[in-house]
Amino acid sequence: MDCALTLKRIYILVFVEHETRRPHLPGATARPTEGWIARQARNLAVELDTRMEELRSLIRERDAKFATSFEAVFEAEDVEILKSPPRAPRANAVCERHVGTLRRELFDHVLVYNEAHALALLREYAEHCNEHRPHQSRRQLPPGHPMQPTPATDLASRHIRRRRVLGGLINEYQQVA
């Protein structure tokens, strides 16, 4: 079987909820257009459903691809659109941190074949990040867990099971009864 490797750039759209640090990685494409970005915004609105009402604002870059159709999705839910200042990467530091983490923990170690492969990797990574990856700003709890930490347990009498994620690139650990 012949496999041609094409070196093309794949763009990923990232949404991050500031309060919970929950990333949403809706899509990947080689050609991000205004229509594609607006469609990803609509998909996020459907995914969040009633939680969309809790959002107060959206910080976005100044790229021209974030057109009125993208903003209309959020404005329909009364979400204020804030544009980050030019040449100020720290203005949206929470999202920039997630992008850096995504690059260091995933894309620096995996050769991505195409958009479908990138999307599959993103889905698996998002599940890992939201359900298992601890966040220092949340007292070492993942975004999918409530802020009450679990009490410490004596691990000497417990068995731990390792689950490999992303082909062994990341490991998750759980107690076994």
Side-chain angles (χ1 to χ4, degrees):
M1 178 175 154
D2 291 326
C3 180
L5 183 64
T6 61
L7 298 175
K8 66 179 181 179
R9 185 170 297 199
I10 297 177
Y11 296 87
I12 298 167
L13 186 62
V14 177
F15 294 98
V16 179
E17 296 179 40
H18 279 231
E19 184 178 350
T20 63
R21 301 301 199 251
R22 176 184 294 270
H24 298 275
L25 307 165
T29 184
R31 292 177 282 299
T33 63
E34 291 176 14
W36 181 82
I37 290 177
R39 189 168 46 257
Q40 301 312 311
R42 286 190 296 274
N43 291 347
L44 177 69
V46 168
E47 178 186 330
L48 291 177
D49 195 28
T50 58
R51 290 184 46 228
M52 191 75 164
E53 298 167 1
E54 299 171 13
L55 302 180
R56 294 185 311 239
S57 59
L58 172 85
I59 303 171
R60 72 163 184 88
E61 296 177 347
R62 294 182 167 269
D63 195 315
K65 291 179 184 69
F66 294 104
T68 54
S69 57
F70 172 83
E71 292 183 352
V73 172
F74 295 99
E75 288 171 350
E77 299 289 337
D78 293 326
V79 175
E80 180 183 10
I81 305 290
L82 305 171
K83 295 178 185 174
S84 62
R87 290 185 246 149
R90 293 185 184 172
N92 197 0
V94 172
C95 190
E96 294 295 335
R97 170 92 186 228
H98 270 286
V99 169
T101 300
L102 189 64
R103 180 174 291 139
R104 283 186 305 278
E105 290 186 1
L106 178 60
F107 292 116
D108 283 354
H109 303 282
V110 176
L111 184 61
V112 179
Y113 298 117
N114 55 29
E115 295 167 32
H117 184 223
L119 196 54
L121 290 170
L122 287 171
R123 285 187 184 130
E124 189 171 357
Y125 184 80
E127 180 184 341
H128 162 73
C129 191
N130 289 328
E131 298 303 322
H132 298 281
R133 189 177 187 281
H135 290 266
Q136 191 172 22
S137 66
R138 294 186 39 82
R139 296 187 213 134
Q140 301 299 33
L141 294 171
H145 290 262
M147 283 298 282
Q148 274 73 38
T150 56
T153 58
D154 178 25
L155 295 179
S157 62
R158 307 282 180 167
H159 290 41
I160 305 295
R161 180 183 336 174
R162 178 177 70 168
R163 180 177 161 252
R164 302 179 127 216
V165 179
L166 296 164
L169 185 61
I170 297 172
N171 294 304
E172 297 174 353
Y173 299 92
Q174 295 177 331
Q175 281 187 1
V176 180

